[in-house]
Amino acid sequence: MFNIPVIIGSTRRDRQSIKAGKFVHSELSKNKDVTTELVDLLELDLPIMEERLRFRNDAPNQVTQFSRMIQKADALVIVSPEYNNGYPGVLKNALDYLLPEYERKPFGFVTVSAGSFGGLNCLAQLRLICLGMGGFPIPESLTIAKVQNLFDEQGLPTEPLLYSRTKDFLDEVLWFTEAVVNQKNKKKQRAA
Ligand SMILES: Cc1cc2nc3c(=O)[nH]c(=O)nc-3n(C[C@H](O)[C@H](O)[C@H](O)COP(=O)(O)O)c2cc1C
Protein backbone atom coordinates (compact mmCIF):
# COMPACT_ATOMS: atom_id res chain seq x y z
CA MET A 1 0.00 0.00 0.00
CA PHE A 2 1.15 3.50 -0.78
CA ASN A 3 0.34 6.31 1.62
CA ILE A 4 -0.36 9.55 -0.25
CA PRO A 5 -1.89 12.40 1.77
CA VAL A 6 -3.53 15.35 0.04
CA ILE A 7 -2.55 18.70 1.58
CA ILE A 8 -5.09 21.50 1.24
CA GLY A 9 -3.07 24.71 0.92
CA SER A 10 -5.85 27.26 1.39
CA THR A 11 -7.42 28.41 4.63
CA ARG A 12 -9.26 31.36 3.09
CA ARG A 13 -12.89 32.07 3.99
CA ASP A 14 -15.14 30.59 1.30
CA ARG A 15 -12.13 28.82 -0.19
CA GLN A 16 -12.84 27.19 -3.54
CA SER A 17 -9.78 25.00 -3.81
CA ILE A 18 -11.17 22.73 -1.07
CA LYS A 19 -13.61 21.47 -3.73
CA ALA A 20 -10.73 20.47 -5.99
CA GLY A 21 -8.88 18.98 -3.03
CA LYS A 22 -11.83 16.89 -1.88
CA PHE A 23 -12.48 15.65 -5.40
CA VAL A 24 -8.84 14.65 -5.97
CA HIS A 25 -8.76 12.99 -2.55
CA SER A 26 -11.93 11.07 -3.32
CA GLU A 27 -10.59 9.88 -6.70
CA LEU A 28 -7.28 8.88 -5.13
CA SER A 29 -9.02 6.95 -2.35
CA LYS A 30 -10.71 4.72 -4.99
CA ASN A 31 -7.34 3.15 -5.75
CA LYS A 32 -7.02 -0.09 -3.81
CA ASP A 33 -3.23 0.31 -3.56
CA VAL A 34 -3.48 3.67 -1.83
CA THR A 35 -4.26 4.98 1.63
CA THR A 36 -4.85 8.70 1.75
CA GLU A 37 -6.04 11.41 4.07
CA LEU A 38 -6.89 15.07 3.71
CA VAL A 39 -4.39 17.26 5.51
CA ASP A 40 -6.39 20.44 5.91
CA LEU A 41 -4.26 23.38 7.04
CA LEU A 42 -7.42 25.13 8.22
CA GLU A 43 -8.14 22.31 10.66
CA LEU A 44 -4.51 21.86 11.66
CA ASP A 45 -4.23 25.56 12.46
CA LEU A 46 -0.43 25.60 12.69
CA PRO A 47 1.02 28.66 14.44
CA ILE A 48 3.42 30.99 12.64
CA MET A 49 6.72 29.14 12.42
CA GLU A 50 9.20 30.40 15.00
CA GLU A 51 11.66 27.57 14.31
CA ARG A 52 11.79 24.30 12.38
CA LEU A 53 10.37 21.31 14.18
CA ARG A 54 13.69 19.45 14.42
CA PHE A 55 15.23 22.33 16.40
CA ARG A 56 12.42 22.57 18.92
CA ASN A 57 11.64 20.65 22.08
CA ASP A 58 8.43 22.58 22.75
CA ALA A 59 6.61 22.00 19.47
CA PRO A 60 2.84 22.44 19.47
CA ASN A 61 0.88 19.20 19.06
CA GLN A 62 -0.44 20.15 15.63
CA VAL A 63 3.09 20.52 14.31
CA THR A 64 4.06 17.08 15.58
CA GLN A 65 0.87 15.70 14.10
CA PHE A 66 1.66 17.33 10.75
CA SER A 67 5.18 15.89 10.85
CA ARG A 68 3.86 12.37 11.51
CA MET A 69 1.47 12.57 8.58
CA ILE A 70 4.22 13.65 6.22
CA GLN A 71 6.78 11.24 7.66
CA LYS A 72 4.65 8.20 6.91
CA ALA A 73 3.76 9.42 3.41
CA ASP A 74 5.32 7.74 0.36
CA ALA A 75 4.37 10.73 -1.80
CA LEU A 76 2.39 13.93 -1.43
CA VAL A 77 -0.32 15.69 -3.37
CA ILE A 78 -0.50 19.42 -2.67
CA VAL A 79 -3.55 21.42 -3.67
CA SER A 80 -2.79 25.12 -3.85
CA PRO A 81 -4.63 28.20 -5.06
CA GLU A 82 -2.73 30.91 -6.88
CA TYR A 83 -2.39 34.15 -4.91
CA ASN A 84 -0.64 37.05 -6.63
CA ASN A 85 1.22 34.69 -8.93
CA GLY A 86 2.40 32.63 -5.97
CA TYR A 87 1.05 30.16 -3.43
CA PRO A 88 -0.51 31.05 -0.05
CA GLY A 89 1.72 32.04 2.84
CA VAL A 90 -0.11 29.56 5.06
CA LEU A 91 1.17 26.72 2.87
CA LYS A 92 4.78 27.92 3.01
CA ASN A 93 4.48 28.36 6.76
CA ALA A 94 3.41 24.74 7.11
CA LEU A 95 5.97 23.30 4.70
CA ASP A 96 8.89 25.16 6.32
CA TYR A 97 8.37 23.42 9.66
CA LEU A 98 9.70 20.15 8.23
CA LEU A 99 12.55 18.90 6.03
CA PRO A 100 13.70 15.28 6.51
CA GLU A 101 10.05 14.24 6.24
CA TYR A 102 10.07 15.19 2.53
CA GLU A 103 13.30 13.53 1.51
CA ARG A 104 13.15 11.71 -1.84
CA LYS A 105 9.37 11.75 -1.97
CA PRO A 106 7.42 12.48 -5.16
CA PHE A 107 5.20 15.57 -5.07
CA GLY A 108 2.18 16.03 -7.33
CA PHE A 109 0.74 19.52 -7.56
CA VAL A 110 -2.86 20.56 -8.12
CA THR A 111 -3.13 24.30 -8.69
CA VAL A 112 -6.33 26.27 -8.66
CA SER A 113 -7.36 29.70 -9.87
CA ALA A 114 -10.44 31.77 -10.53
CA GLY A 115 -8.90 32.97 -13.79
CA SER A 116 -8.16 31.07 -17.01
CA PHE A 117 -4.62 29.83 -16.37
CA GLY A 118 -5.19 27.40 -13.50
CA GLY A 119 -2.37 28.67 -11.32
CA LEU A 120 0.58 28.09 -13.67
CA ASN A 121 2.74 30.67 -11.91
CA CYS A 122 2.27 29.16 -8.50
CA LEU A 123 2.91 25.71 -9.99
CA ALA A 124 6.36 26.84 -11.10
CA GLN A 125 7.11 28.18 -7.63
CA LEU A 126 5.87 25.04 -5.91
CA ARG A 127 8.12 22.89 -8.07
CA LEU A 128 11.09 25.04 -7.14
CA ILE A 129 10.47 24.86 -3.40
CA CYS A 130 9.86 21.12 -3.70
CA LEU A 131 13.42 20.71 -4.97
CA GLY A 132 14.63 22.85 -2.06
CA MET A 133 12.86 20.48 0.31
CA GLY A 134 14.54 17.42 -1.18
CA GLY A 135 11.39 16.14 -2.91
CA PHE A 136 10.76 15.16 -6.54
CA PRO A 137 8.23 17.37 -8.33
CA ILE A 138 6.59 15.09 -10.89
CA PRO A 139 6.22 16.37 -14.49
CA GLU A 140 2.44 15.88 -14.65
CA SER A 141 0.25 18.45 -12.89
CA LEU A 142 -3.44 19.16 -12.53
CA THR A 143 -4.21 22.81 -13.17
CA ILE A 144 -7.78 23.85 -12.44
CA ALA A 145 -8.95 27.13 -13.98
CA LYS A 146 -12.21 28.94 -13.20
CA VAL A 147 -12.65 26.77 -10.14
CA GLN A 148 -15.76 28.66 -9.04
CA ASN A 149 -17.66 27.17 -12.03
CA LEU A 150 -16.22 23.70 -12.01
CA PHE A 151 -17.98 21.85 -9.19
CA ASP A 152 -21.65 21.29 -8.43
CA GLU A 153 -23.28 21.34 -4.98
CA GLN A 154 -22.29 17.72 -4.37
CA GLY A 155 -18.67 18.65 -5.08
CA LEU A 156 -18.63 16.77 -8.39
CA PRO A 157 -17.07 18.23 -11.56
CA THR A 158 -19.44 19.97 -13.95
CA GLU A 159 -16.82 19.46 -16.66
CA PRO A 160 -16.44 15.76 -17.65
CA LEU A 161 -12.88 16.32 -18.86
CA LEU A 162 -11.82 16.91 -15.27
CA TYR A 163 -12.34 13.21 -14.52
CA SER A 164 -9.89 12.08 -17.19
CA ARG A 165 -7.40 14.84 -16.39
CA THR A 166 -7.50 13.87 -12.72
CA LYS A 167 -7.03 10.20 -13.61
CA ASP A 168 -4.02 10.99 -15.82
CA PHE A 169 -2.51 13.11 -13.05
CA LEU A 170 -3.05 10.52 -10.32
CA ASP A 171 -1.74 7.71 -12.54
CA GLU A 172 1.51 9.64 -12.81
CA VAL A 173 1.62 10.30 -9.06
CA LEU A 174 1.25 6.55 -8.59
CA TRP A 175 3.89 5.73 -11.20
CA PHE A 176 6.51 7.86 -9.48
CA THR A 177 5.46 6.73 -6.02
CA GLU A 178 5.89 3.09 -6.95
CA ALA A 179 9.23 3.74 -8.65
CA VAL A 180 10.64 5.56 -5.63
CA VAL A 181 9.25 3.12 -3.07
CA ASN A 182 10.69 0.18 -5.04
CA GLN A 183 14.07 1.84 -5.15
CA LYS A 184 14.00 2.59 -1.43
CA ASN A 185 13.02 -1.03 -0.69
CA LYS A 186 15.84 -2.32 -2.88
CA LYS A 187 18.31 -0.16 -0.96
CA LYS A 188 16.95 -1.43 2.36
CA GLN A 189 17.25 -5.06 1.22
CA ARG A 190 20.84 -4.52 0.10
CA ALA A 191 21.71 -2.93 3.44
CA ALA A 192 20.08 -5.76 5.47
C1 LIG B 1 -4.96 37.13 -2.21
C2 LIG B 1 -5.44 36.60 -3.53
C3 LIG B 1 -4.66 36.74 -4.65
C4 LIG B 1 -5.06 36.20 -5.88
N1 LIG B 1 -4.23 36.25 -6.95
C5 LIG B 1 -4.52 35.56 -8.08
C6 LIG B 1 -3.58 35.45 -9.14
O1 LIG B 1 -2.49 35.92 -9.07
N2 LIG B 1 -3.93 34.74 -10.23
C7 LIG B 1 -5.16 34.13 -10.34
O2 LIG B 1 -5.43 33.50 -11.37
N3 LIG B 1 -6.08 34.23 -9.35
C8 LIG B 1 -5.78 34.93 -8.22
N4 LIG B 1 -6.68 34.98 -7.19
C9 LIG B 1 -7.95 34.31 -7.34
C10 LIG B 1 -7.85 32.91 -6.76
O3 LIG B 1 -7.12 32.06 -7.60
C11 LIG B 1 -9.25 32.35 -6.53
O4 LIG B 1 -9.88 33.19 -5.57
C12 LIG B 1 -9.26 30.93 -6.02
O5 LIG B 1 -10.58 30.60 -5.70
C13 LIG B 1 -8.39 30.87 -4.79
O6 LIG B 1 -8.51 29.67 -4.11
P1 LIG B 1 -9.23 29.65 -2.71
O7 LIG B 1 -10.67 30.02 -3.02
O8 LIG B 1 -9.10 28.25 -2.25
O9 LIG B 1 -8.61 30.63 -1.78
C14 LIG B 1 -6.31 35.56 -5.97
C15 LIG B 1 -7.11 35.44 -4.83
C16 LIG B 1 -6.68 35.93 -3.62
C17 LIG B 1 -7.54 35.74 -2.39
Side-chain angles (χ1 to χ4, degrees), residues 156-177:
L156 296 172
T158 53
E159 172 56 72
L161 192 62
L162 190 53
Y163 284 98
S164 58
R165 291 183 61 226
T166 302
K167 182 185 180 309
D168 291 347
F169 167 70
L170 291 177
D171 283 352
E172 286 300 292
V173 171
L174 256 295
W175 193 96
F176 282 97
T177 305

Side-chain angles (χ1 to χ4, degrees), residues 96-175:
D96 285 345
Y97 267 112
L98 312 179
L99 188 66
E101 290 88 340
Y102 307 123
E103 201 184 339
R104 292 182 171 156
K105 292 183 182 174
F107 281 61
F109 294 107
V110 179
T111 56
V112 172
S113 77
S116 306
F117 298 110
L120 280 178
N121 286 313
C122 88
L123 175 63
Q125 294 187 11
L126 285 165
R127 285 181 163 155
L128 189 63
I129 64 161
C130 176
L131 291 171
M133 298 183 328
F136 301 130
I138 70 161
E140 188 84 20
S141 61
L142 182 62
T143 54
I144 298 187
K146 298 189 189 296
V147 63
Q148 66 281 10
N149 303 330
L150 221 53
F151 295 92
D152 65 18
E153 278 169 13
Q154 279 76 50
L156 296 172
T158 53
E159 172 56 72
L161 192 62
L162 190 53
Y163 284 98
S164 58
R165 291 183 61 226
T166 302
K167 182 185 180 309
D168 291 347
F169 167 70
L170 291 177
D171 283 352
E172 286 300 292
V173 171
L174 256 295
W175 193 96

Side-chain angles (χ1 to χ4, degrees), residues 10 12 14-17 81-85 112-115 147:
S10 166
R12 191 177 69 85
D14 194 30
R15 58 193 175 156
Q16 298 294 305
S17 49
E82 177 160 297
Y83 289 168
N84 299 321
N85 287 350
V112 172
S113 77
V147 63

Side-chain angles (χ1 to χ4, degrees), residues 16-190:
Q16 298 294 305
S17 49
I18 187 76
K19 297 175 186 170
K22 283 186 172 168
F23 172 65
V24 169
H25 174 258
S26 146
E27 292 299 288
L28 184 58
S29 64
K30 289 177 186 166
N31 189 311
K32 59 176 176 33
D33 296 325
V34 172
T35 56
T36 179
E37 63 187 318
L38 268 185
V39 181
D40 187 349
L41 297 184
L42 181 63
E43 280 172 22
L44 266 184
D45 194 21
L46 302 177
I48 292 289
M49 197 211 51
E50 294 168 55
E51 182 50 283
R52 291 152 289 178
L53 177 62
R54 63 193 184 281
F55 299 120
R56 285 186 67 167
N57 53 17
D58 60 347
N61 285 340
Q62 317 95 289
V63 179
T64 313
Q65 192 192 342
F66 180 55
S67 165
R68 285 204 193 105
M69 289 190 282
I70 306 305
Q71 178 64 48
K72 67 179 192 204
D74 294 305
L76 294 162
V77 170
I78 296 187
V79 181
S80 172
E82 177 160 297
Y83 289 168
N84 299 321
N85 287 350
Y87 51 86
V90 71
L91 177 58
K92 186 79 163 86
N93 185 66
L95 294 174
D96 285 345
Y97 267 112
L98 312 179
L99 188 66
E101 290 88 340
Y102 307 123
E103 201 184 339
R104 292 182 171 156
K105 292 183 182 174
F107 281 61
F109 294 107
V110 179
T111 56
V112 172
S113 77
S116 306
F117 298 110
L120 280 178
N121 286 313
C122 88
L123 175 63
Q125 294 187 11
L126 285 165
R127 285 181 163 155
L128 189 63
I129 64 161
C130 176
L131 291 171
M133 298 183 328
F136 301 130
I138 70 161
E140 188 84 20
S141 61
L142 182 62
T143 54
I144 298 187
K146 298 189 189 296
V147 63
Q148 66 281 10
N149 303 330
L150 221 53
F151 295 92
D152 65 18
E153 278 169 13
Q154 279 76 50
L156 296 172
T158 53
E159 172 56 72
L161 192 62
L162 190 53
Y163 284 98
S164 58
R165 291 183 61 226
T166 302
K167 182 185 180 309
D168 291 347
F169 167 70
L170 291 177
D171 283 352
E172 286 300 292
V173 171
L174 256 295
W175 193 96
F176 282 97
T177 305
E178 196 175 342
V180 169
V181 167
N182 284 346
Q183 177 66 8
K184 285 177 179 170
N185 287 342
K186 229 191 280 175
K187 282 258 171 196
K188 271 188 220 152
Q189 278 163 11
R190 269 191 224 133

